[in-house]
Amino acid sequence: MEAGRQRQGRLWSNLKEVCDLLHIPAACSVTTEELLFQHVQFKTGQRIHTIGQPFDTLYIVNSGFLKTVLIDEFGNEQVLSFPMKGDMLGVDGIHTRHYSSEAVALSDCDLILLPFKKLTALGRVHLELENMMYGVMSRELVREQAMIGMLGALSAEARVARFLVALAERFSQMGYSSKLFNLRMTRHEIGSYLGLTLETVSRTLSAFNEIGLISVDQRTIGIKDAEALKTLRRLPPSRTRAKQQATAKTKGETIAPAQLLAAL
Amino acid sequence: MEAGRQRQGRLWSNLKEVCDLLHIPAACSVTTEELLFQHVQFKTGQRIHTIGQPFDTLYIVNSGFLKTVLIDEFGNEQVLSFPMKGDMLGVDGIHTRHYSSEAVALSDCDLILLPFKKLTALGRVHLELENMMYGVMSRELVREQAMIGMLGALSAEARVARFLVALAERFSQMGYSSKLFNLRMTRHEIGSYLGLTLETVSRTLSAFNEIGLISVDQRTIGIKDAEALKTLRRLPPSRTRAKQQATAKTKGETIAPAQLLAAL
DNA sequence: CGAGGCCTTGAACGAAATCAAAGTCAGTGG
DNA sequence: CCACTGACTTTGATTTCGTTCAAGGCCTCG
């Protein structure tokens, strides 16, 4: 459909800028400006690459928000990640020389092109660059391992809670507020990412809102109690709460929300 | 506990052998035998590396079976993978220079040591080696993405079915029978890997056995109908089967197992 | 204003977890 | 040799979390 890129080619970045973006301590041996990487702009909804497309370039997100997805045998999307500033895209294409996932812009985006051939050639000359590559790929691997652990072991509430905390931290790193931000993705996309249905995501956000952990207004999220979100395992049954309070031998005093939330 | 390695140092491999093991088309530019990598043996139960331990070497499995695990805040293991011949271990340590997972031998193992420093240095001289590194890391990433997709979207039955098929294929690649093999891991470990409880794994295997997809005898698995396993989405409700047959307008004839299994 | 996405909420159902009890097997030591 | 221990597995009964199905509300944009 909208396969065409929004090539404007106005911007270029040097190696130092690329390393900074990736949070790689560039020894900055290359002050020369001859090593330039081109930028490309994508508009909301455009695809950066599709599944099966021949691989030749990696991308670094300079600004904007994206999602990467797998498409299963019957056309259902499985969201794999929500890349944003400083993330690398396309690494999954190296192995088979074809991208194995699809990347879509969730907002207008500015990406840096890293032609893979050029990159590896440069890596042999500039050691930081090579280390950067290994580091970024390893980091991505660790991120996915954490994701597997989360999908394998955590309750729906815990997944949503950690998702919010992770988002808040990313926004903080990017210099935005970690307390108040806008989700760039739909409930459906969040659900797919977390292995849940959109209804469960919606209900969970409402529940967090009700007990004061966050505030929700459509896609605007306010983080009220980041600590509780970080350690949350499961929510106290809202309808049964009275019964639970009666059962607990707490000398009649009301159980503090924090206690309930931290319950195994 | 048994932190000590079983260093025997009897075996060494050259670059060609390493590439073969990883299924990398080594251009075999290096026929010289000076590039040697040491082997190390581990016995069942021994740890290859632990979480947080300083990273300096990658491992390739030459023989044997292992598991890699994450340990959560309360000591619960989350199985991430079951590496076997040709798999690489330790890549997650590159990023932070500390392993982020733990690898344990499920059987006696023979691993090849790849000191990371040495490896990257060699990569600059031997291009196939560098390509191998990128390829293997990318492959691992793709594998984990598939895992995330599976955990996020598939039913318990489908997960177990695909797990068996994947195992069968690995055994086949390794030259063993893909029709009859022994599981090297417990039901608990399989469950952890698939995001299920051990009871669910056990029940699912029993169900597959009952309808003739596999045969199960403790850890010995016989694959009877690989195709059905590959495409299975959900099992027909065994107790409701009579009712379903009645509901279906199939002129009184019995529904073929294959039809039921392929049901969306 | 109306249409179409997106989101929320409720009710009922169902898949998998949890709880519980036996059964199997390998290894150990009397 | 055999009984005993402990880890692993199977199977059943029950519970619960999350899905599914359904209806209505809320924004945005033509």
Side-chain angles (χ1 to χ4, degrees):
Chain A
M1 292 220 163
E2 71 307 58
R5 287 173 181 165
Q6 195 83 354
R7 272 190 184 275
Q8 303 185 225
R10 291 202 206 101
L11 287 166
W12 299 76
S13 284
N14 62 31
L15 186 55
K16 172 94 173 52
E17 289 164 339
V18 168
C19 288
D20 286 352
L21 211 43
L22 292 164
H23 306 109
I24 303 289
C28 201
S29 69
V30 206
T31 46
T32 62
E33 295 288 319
E34 15 89 67
L35 283 180
L36 291 180
F37 298 97
Q38 191 179 9
H39 287 231
V40 183
Q41 282 77 39
F42 290 87
K43 296 211 288 194
T44 305
Q46 284 189 314
R47 271 155 198 73
I48 284 69
H49 57 74
T50 59
I51 296 173
Q53 175 188 330
F55 163 85
D56 60 346
T57 111
L58 296 170
Y59 304 83
I60 295 173
V61 183
N62 184 48
S63 72
F65 298 86
L66 305 95
K67 65 174 177 181
T68 64
V69 302
L70 239 42
I71 315 281
D72 78 7
E73 46 262 74
F74 260 101
N76 303 310
E77 282 195 357
Q78 167 69 45
V79 175
L80 293 172
S81 65
F82 294 113
M84 49 192 86
K85 187 175 182 178
D87 285 327
M88 190 178 271
L89 294 180
V91 179
D92 56 73
I94 295 174
H95 175 229
T96 60
R97 300 288 153 175
H98 293 267
Y99 296 101
S100 69
S101 67
E102 179 169 311
V104 183
L106 294 179
S107 70
D108 289 1
C109 288
D110 182 58
L111 307 188
I112 302 175
L113 296 179
L114 304 178
F116 186 62
K117 283 279 176 212
K118 183 177 169 190
L119 197 63
T120 52
L122 284 174
R124 265 164 251 132
V125 184
H126 304 288
L127 289 203
E128 326 92 290
L129 194 59
E130 186 188 56
N131 283 329
M132 176 204 83
M133 282 293 292
Y134 288 129
V136 169
M137 290 178 74
S138 173
R139 184 214 284 167
E140 191 59 19
L141 214 84
V142 171
R143 192 195 69 78
E144 292 197 355
Q145 285 180 358
M147 196 68 206
I148 291 173
M150 173 155 141
L151 291 174
L154 298 188
S155 69
E157 286 103 5
R159 293 183 206 180
V160 175
R162 296 202 182 190
F163 171 70
L164 293 174
V165 169
L167 262 192
E169 279 169 5
R170 285 306 300 270
F171 281 114
S172 166
Q173 283 166 23
M174 287 163 48
Y176 301 141
S177 167
S178 67
K179 296 292 162 204
L180 190 67
F181 52 82
N182 276 297
L183 299 175
R184 296 323 198 301
M185 62 295 281
T186 67
R187 304 286 192 261
H188 180 77
E189 287 163 342
I190 297 172
S192 171
Y193 179 64
L194 298 176
L196 303 169
T197 59
L198 64 123
E199 292 97 329
T200 300
V201 173
S202 176
R203 272 187 251 273
T204 305
L205 291 175
S206 298
F208 287 173
N209 181 51
E210 255 173 48
I211 57 176
L213 296 185
I214 64 174
S215 63
V216 187
D217 174 36
Q218 295 295 118
R219 298 211 182 163
T220 303
I221 301 286
I223 303 288
K224 300 282 193 60
D225 188 346
E227 267 323 300
L229 287 173
K230 258 176 232 168
T231 59
L232 182 142
R233 313 230 112 211
R234 58 189 350 125
L235 232 39
S238 62
R239 215 49 65 187
T240 328
R241 220 171 302 173
K243 185 182 116 195
Q244 232 178 276
Q245 288 189 359
T247 314
K249 296 156 188 165
T250 44
K251 305 133 200 163
E253 64 186 338
T254 307
I255 295 172
Q259 277 179 263
L260 280 174
L261 292 170
L264 182 74
Chain B
M1 288 218 167
E2 72 304 59
R5 286 173 184 166
Q6 195 81 355
R7 272 190 185 276
Q8 303 185 225
R10 292 202 205 101
L11 288 167
W12 298 76
S13 284
N14 61 32
L15 186 54
K16 172 95 173 52
E17 289 163 340
V18 168
C19 288
D20 286 351
L21 211 43
L22 292 164
H23 305 110
I24 303 290
C28 201
S29 70
V30 207
T31 47
T32 62
E33 294 289 320
E34 14 88 66
L35 282 180
L36 292 179
F37 297 98
Q38 192 179 13
H39 286 231
V40 184
Q41 282 76 39
F42 290 87
K43 295 211 289 195
T44 304
Q46 284 189 315
R47 271 154 199 73
I48 284 69
H49 57 74
T50 59
I51 296 172
Q53 175 187 330
F55 162 85
D56 59 348
T57 111
L58 297 170
Y59 304 83
I60 294 174
V61 182
N62 184 47
S63 72
F65 298 86
L66 305 95
K67 65 174 177 182
T68 65
V69 301
L70 240 42
I71 314 281
D72 78 7
E73 46 264 73
F74 259 100
N76 303 310
E77 283 194 358
Q78 166 69 44
V79 175
L80 293 173
S81 64
F82 294 114
M84 48 193 87
K85 187 174 182 179
D87 286 327
M88 190 179 270
L89 295 179
V91 179
D92 56 73
I94 296 174
H95 175 230
T96 59
R97 300 289 151 173
H98 294 267
Y99 296 101
S100 70
S101 67
E102 180 168 309
V104 184
L106 295 180
S107 70
D108 290 2
C109 288
D110 182 58
L111 307 188
I112 302 174
L113 296 178
L114 304 179
F116 186 62
K117 283 278 177 215
K118 185 177 167 188
L119 198 62
T120 52
L122 283 175
R124 263 164 252 132
V125 184
H126 305 288
L127 289 203
E128 328 91 289
L129 195 59
E130 186 189 55
N131 283 329
M132 177 203 82
M133 282 294 292
Y134 288 129
V136 169
M137 289 176 74
S138 173
R139 182 214 286 168
E140 191 59 20
L141 214 84
V142 172
R143 192 195 70 78
E144 292 195 356
Q145 286 180 357
M147 196 70 206
I148 291 174
M150 172 153 142
L151 291 174
L154 297 189
S155 69
E157 286 103 4
R159 293 184 207 180
V160 174
R162 297 200 181 190
F163 172 70
L164 293 175
V165 171
L167 261 191
E169 279 169 5
R170 283 307 299 270
F171 279 116
S172 166
Q173 283 166 22
M174 287 163 47
Y176 300 140
S177 167
S178 67
K179 295 294 162 202
L180 190 67
F181 51 83
N182 277 298
L183 300 174
R184 298 321 201 296
M185 61 295 279
T186 68
R187 303 288 191 260
H188 180 77
E189 287 162 343
I190 297 171
S192 172
Y193 178 64
L194 298 177
L196 304 168
T197 60
L198 66 132
E199 293 97 328
T200 300
V201 173
S202 176
R203 270 188 251 274
T204 305
L205 291 175
S206 298
F208 287 173
N209 181 50
E210 255 172 48
I211 57 176
L213 296 185
I214 64 173
S215 63
V216 187
D217 175 35
Q218 294 296 120
R219 299 214 180 161
T220 302
I221 301 285
I223 303 287
K224 300 281 193 59
D225 189 347
E227 267 323 299
L229 288 173
K230 256 175 232 168
T231 59
L232 182 142
R233 312 229 111 213
R234 55 183 0 119
L235 231 39
S238 62
R239 214 49 67 184
T240 326
R241 220 170 302 173
K243 183 181 117 197
Q244 234 178 278
Q245 289 189 358
T247 314
K249 296 156 188 166
T250 45
K251 305 132 200 162
E253 63 186 340
T254 308
I255 295 172
Q259 278 180 263
L260 280 173
L261 292 170
L264 182 72

